[in-house]
Amino acid sequence: MPVKTAAKKPAVKKTVIKKKPVLKAAEEEKKESRYFKATGRRKTSLARVRLWTKGDKIVTVNQKPLKEYFPSKDLQQIVLSPLEKMNCEDKFNVQIITRGGGIHSQAEAARHGISRGLVEFNPDFKKRLRKTGYLTRDPRMRERKKFGLKRARRAPQWRKR
């Protein structure tokens, strides 16, 4: 009868993963190209705002230039008012994504978001922006419709005969 011998197991090599050296220049570039983000709200509108310190100093709303998205001078003035108040018109590249509500509500939501982003950039701005009312979220919302009524408070017309 043949004798069975135990087979030798192959030796397992342990692999050591070496970390790649991080370039300091890349880290510094990331720090400089970072952005400050904030959210602004008004009625049912929501505006997500990013303030970039690098790049072209333009304002885009939903991938369109500000003057194209908000054609009225009044709406453009509403959006840019926090930057003008802090004398920062030419210091930031502003990217805004808005959803919901009407065009005026979106402009006020964008103003709220830009104000919050400026406070994140520099907390010293908070006092001046708070005083002008740009940091206060406007709580007025549309009242919901009630059953038995035509709108929130409008009752059906009453008929005597």
Side-chain angles (χ1 to χ4, degrees):
M1 242 179 161
V3 179
K4 291 185 178 179
T5 57
K8 291 186 177 179
K9 293 183 181 178
V12 178
K13 291 183 179 178
K14 293 183 181 179
T15 56
V16 178
I17 300 172
K18 294 181 181 179
K19 294 183 181 179
K20 294 181 181 177
V22 180
L23 300 174
K24 290 185 180 181
E27 280 185 13
E28 290 176 14
E29 187 176 317
K30 281 185 180 180
K31 285 182 182 178
E32 290 180 14
S33 67
R34 68 180 179 165
Y35 58 87
F36 302 92
K37 63 181 179 178
T39 304
R41 294 184 189 91
R42 169 76 169 100
K43 289 189 176 180
T44 57
S45 296
L46 180 110
R48 294 184 315 196
V49 178
R50 289 182 178 174
L51 299 172
W52 299 85
T53 53
K54 272 196 163 185
D56 300 332
K57 307 305 182 201
I58 59 171
V59 179
T60 58
V61 184
N62 292 348
Q63 286 84 36
K64 294 181 184 178
L66 178 71
K67 292 182 179 180
E68 188 179 320
Y69 193 83
F70 294 116
S72 168
K73 283 278 186 189
D74 295 337
L75 296 176
Q76 293 171 19
Q77 186 68 28
I78 288 171
V79 173
L80 297 177
S81 55
L83 293 171
E84 292 171 2
K85 184 73 176 174
M86 298 288 110
N87 298 322
C88 297
E89 298 102 343
D90 57 342
K91 294 181 182 176
F92 293 104
N93 179 12
V94 183
Q95 179 187 5
I96 305 169
I97 299 171
T98 60
R99 290 195 180 159
I103 195 163
H104 194 279
S105 177
Q106 286 183 354
E108 290 191 5
R111 177 183 69 186
H112 187 226
I114 290 172
S115 301
R116 284 180 159 186
L118 286 172
V119 169
E120 191 175 316
F121 170 70
N122 186 355
D124 297 336
F125 290 168
K126 187 172 184 175
K127 189 174 184 179
R128 286 175 59 194
L129 290 170
R130 171 79 60 202
K131 192 173 183 180
T132 55
Y134 295 158
L135 290 176
T136 305
R137 197 256 195 235
D138 196 346
R140 295 176 291 175
M141 298 280 285
R142 183 163 188 226
E143 194 174 340
R144 77 170 194 86
K145 183 195 177 298
K146 277 73 169 193
F147 57 90
L149 301 179
K150 291 185 177 281
R151 294 192 304 261
R153 299 180 185 212
R154 170 77 169 103
Q157 192 168 2
W158 181 73
R159 211 171 105 182
K160 189 171 184 180
R161 286 180 189 84

